[in-house]
Amino acid sequence: MTSASNSLTDTRSEPTVTVGLSQGDVSDFFALLKPRVMFLVVFTALVGMVVVHPTIHPVVAFASLLMIAIGAGASGCLNMWWDADIDAVMTRTRKRPIPAGKIAPGEALAFGLTLSAGSVIVLGLVSNWLAAGLLAFTIVFYAVIYSMWLKRTTPQNIVIGGAAGALPPVVAQAAVAGHVGWESLILFAIIFIWTPPHFWALALVKSSDYARAGIPMMPNVAGPDSTRRQILAYTVFLAPLGLAPVAFGFGGLAYAAIATIGGLGMLALAVQVYRLREGEPAMRVAQQLFAFSILYLFLLFATLLAEHGFGLFRPVFG
Amino acid sequence: MVLASSGRFSGDPMEQNPLPHLTPEEQKRRRRRSVALGLALGALVLLFYVVTIAKLGPGVLNRPL
């Protein structure tokens, strides 16, 4: 590991003077924001905005979306700062900027706190303080409740912590509508119930990685069989829940078709994960469920975006 | 105040806190960080300006003196 700060210590006199210079490149700081997660947040938040057909200025909507993205990035940065020790022992995360020695933990903390405060304040100024409060709650929930508390103490970590990942559509609706409506709450519920089968499918594949890091993921605590049962249970609930936007009138014909086909696909894979428990086929099908779950959520939200953002909405009822 | 290498007293704070020697790669990284920070600040200024105009509209100039 290389030193993350270039320090010079003056040993000739007291007190000791230490000058630190960052070693991180711009791309390292960008990586601290978890860009892929940020993309998902922007995407789900954008859908949370368009389903309510906001009447506010597009510039204000854009600025709000930008602040939600930065807030999400800030919480990812604070998560990386706190989890640097376990990131270093997991193959999936050991190349992140802090364990790789490219950025000092203190820099990441300062960067994350600055972006957190900045994004909340600017969101409050450009939209409203309900949205800003919800963004602050999301950041605190992810960085403190999930990262610092739940992640290392309970196998329900990603179930409860999943609320942070599900909140962006709610924040977005609050930003453009000034209130929290049932549209964004349904989107919240879909992401929230989608999270356990998504992450537990990954945890089944990477269970040795999580065990080495000492993270009590469900397969390591309750065992793979119990995890498979719970994946199936959540998916049985998720598939019909995915159709809730149709029942509430903001999911059209295209959405109904995608949600039905995607839900059946999720169910089929969850049943396969439940049945195949040994060897390479079991790992392969868990990996397939993990990958398909991403596609499933993406398609649900992309269809809503197409229906409401591009005028393709055709009502299912009437 | 410290005694500079020339033997004369210097008021330059850099003499007291000399920066560590930077390799060419470290200098490039520092320059890229500085440019990114400058661009981010510029973007923020532009964002505040555009949002102000969008929220207040032409009325931003129509104020009693």
Side-chain angles (χ1 to χ4, degrees), chain B residues 27-63:
Chain B
Q27 286 179 346
K28 278 182 193 168
R29 280 204 296 265
R30 185 171 65 171
R31 179 164 179 77
R32 285 196 290 265
R33 286 197 305 271
S34 303
V35 170
L37 196 56
L39 289 174
L41 289 173
L44 210 53
V45 169
L46 185 67
L47 182 77
F48 286 164
Y49 174 76
V50 174
V51 167
T52 303
I53 298 299
K55 282 178 81 85
L56 299 180
V60 71
L61 298 174
N62 186 18
R63 323 184 77 188

Side-chain angles (χ1 to χ4, degrees), chain A residues 6 17 19 21-26 29 57 59-60 63 67 122 125-126, chain B residues 17-22 26 29-30 32-33 36 47-48 50-51 54-55:
Chain A
N6 193 346
V17 177
V19 178
L21 276 181
S22 175
Q23 292 289 287
D25 209 337
V26 175
F29 282 94
H57 198 286
V59 168
V60 177
M67 290 309 123
V122 175
L125 292 172
V126 300
Chain B
N17 274 347
L19 289 172
H21 175 72
L22 297 179
E26 287 171 334
R29 280 204 296 265
R30 185 171 65 171
R32 285 196 290 265
R33 286 197 305 271
L47 182 77
F48 286 164
V50 174
V51 167
K55 282 178 81 85

Side-chain angles (χ1 to χ4, degrees), chain B residues 5-17:
Chain B
S5 55
S6 62
R8 300 175 62 185
F9 283 106
S10 164
D12 185 354
M14 297 299 284
E15 291 281 343
Q16 297 175 45
N17 274 347

